[in-house]
Structures are given as C-alpha cells and as structure tokens.
Amino acid sequence: MVATPEVYQGQFGEFTIDESDRQGVIIYRAGLMIAAICFAVASGLVLFGKNPDIYRFVTPLYTGFSLALGVSLLTIHIYMAALHRTLQAFWLIGVIAALAIAHADPQPFIVTVYTNPLTILGVGFTFAALTGIYFKEAFCFNRLETKFLTLIVPVLLLGHMLSILPLQWERVLLGFWAVLFLVFAVRKVVQAIPPDIGDKSVFAYLKAQRTIRA
C-alpha cells in the first residue's frame, strides 16, 4: 500500500513533498557536513600543527571543502533565483582563483594565501558564498551559530587581508568558525526535512512569473 503524501498549504496554494525533494535536502546537508569536517580538520592542522610539513595536507582538505560546498549550493532551496545564482557564481570565482593560486606558487596553498593576504580577493568569493548560506539559515531558522558565523567570516577574512587583526585574534576566530560550522552541520542533520524544502507554491509562483515575463 502506497502512503498518501501529506498536503501542505502554501502561500500560493497547496503542495506536496516528494522523494526527490527529500533527496535534495539530504544531499544539501551531506555537502555541508563534509565541508564542515574538511574545514575543521584543516583548521586543526593550522592551529595545532607543529610541523610546517603538514600544511600540504590542507590543500586536499580545502579541495574537499570546496567541492562539498558546491554540491550544497546546487541543492539549497532559495526563493530568489538571482540570489541563488549569485552564490553559485561566487563559489565558481573562488574555485577558479584557488586553482590559479595553487598552481602559481610551489608553496602549500594555505601558506601562499596566508603570506599574501590580497589572494583573499579571489578565494574570498568561496567564503562569501558560504556566508550566504549562513545568512540564509540565520534568517530562515533563527540559528544562533549561523548568526555568529555570518559575522565571524567577513571579520576574519577582511581583518587578515587588511592586516588589522593580531595573530592571536585570528587564531581565536578561526577556532570559533571551525567549531560553530560543525555545530551548524550537525544540527542540520537532525532537523526535520520539510522546513529545508520551503514553500513549494512560492517556487511555482516565481517560476510562472518568470515564464510570463519571458
């Protein structure tokens, strides 16, 4: 016997949630979890590693972080299509910049970025996309950790790029970022799926409006 799907009342009509919707949310959350783990491990190597040779391991971790974040940006549900595309474009710019930086300097990627703060003008686009996710989650679900993350990320990156943050403060902010990112990812795992899908009637309405304008 096939269960009858639950019908939800949206702003512009009724809608149901199918298996593909649920799979999309699961992939979105899995991407966030992988990205958070890669970021936390890389941050741990930077903060607690005593041997500079370990910095080379940050590069594959950053690659995993970037790819997982890209998957999440493909599957995230955002009502404003222009904003969704903007975050994806930011991610792509950041990835291209990271590839260029990694291949232009024989030093480990993290060393190049740290010692050349202006490289943040390129790779920072990836973190701008990540901050967009934090902001979306803070706005939609009132998550305390994402409110802090929305502030921590630009403060740390801009502070380092402008050389106005003491090293100790950079280390503290990076540590908080890694921990809160993990907290956020774990809390997403246990969150009910339907809220992450959102009001599908709004998506249908916006799509119809775009079709009419076209």
Side-chain angles (χ1 to χ4, degrees):
M1 180 178 180
V2 179
T4 303
E6 183 175 353
V7 178
Y8 297 86
Q9 180 60 51
Q11 184 176 351
F12 297 99
E14 296 179 340
F15 65 92
T16 59
I17 293 176
D18 56 32
E19 190 58 31
S20 65
D21 296 322
R22 295 181 180 276
Q23 289 177 354
V25 172
I26 292 171
I27 293 171
Y28 164 66
R29 294 178 180 181
L32 286 178
M33 179 61 75
I34 294 171
I37 292 172
C38 289
F39 187 83
V41 174
S43 298
L45 292 177
V46 171
L47 293 173
F48 305 111
K50 303 299 182 181
N51 187 347
D53 290 341
I54 66 173
Y55 292 157
R56 69 178 186 274
F57 296 114
V58 173
T59 302
L61 288 167
Y62 185 84
T63 300
F65 157 81
S66 296
L67 292 175
L69 178 62
V71 170
S72 290
L73 285 168
L74 280 175
T75 51
I76 190 174
H77 288 75
I78 298 178
Y79 293 128
M80 295 177 60
L83 176 58
H84 193 177
R85 288 194 295 268
T86 298
L87 294 181
Q88 292 173 335
F90 280 4
W91 173 84
L92 182 60
I93 293 171
V95 167
I96 293 172
L99 287 171
I101 292 167
H103 286 87
D105 194 328
Q107 296 186 99
F109 175 73
I110 187 64
V111 175
T112 302
V113 173
Y114 183 78
T115 56
N116 298 274
L118 287 181
T119 55
I120 292 175
L121 289 173
V123 297
F125 277 94
T126 295
F127 297 105
L130 177 60
T131 304
I133 292 179
Y134 293 153
F135 179 80
K136 180 260 184 187
E137 293 284 342
F139 180 82
C140 293
F141 302 111
N142 197 30
R143 292 192 179 282
L144 182 61
E145 67 274 14
T146 53
K147 292 180 181 179
F148 281 115
L149 287 166
T150 302
L151 294 174
I152 288 173
V153 176
V155 167
L156 175 56
L157 296 183
L158 291 175
H160 180 70
M161 187 177 71
L162 299 174
S163 301
I164 58 177
L165 280 179
L167 176 59
Q168 190 57 39
W169 274 103
E170 290 186 351
R171 293 174 64 86
V172 169
L173 289 174
L174 179 60
F176 272 119
W177 182 357
V179 171
L180 291 177
F181 193 0
L182 278 175
V183 170
F184 164 53
V186 170
R187 291 188 67 193
K188 290 302 294 181
V189 170
V190 298
Q191 178 184 343
I193 286 180
D196 253 349
I197 296 170
D199 185 343
K200 288 179 66 177
S201 73
V202 173
F203 288 107
Y205 172 79
L206 293 174
K207 182 178 181 180
Q209 291 298 108
R210 290 194 298 270
T211 302
I212 291 173
R213 287 196 293 269

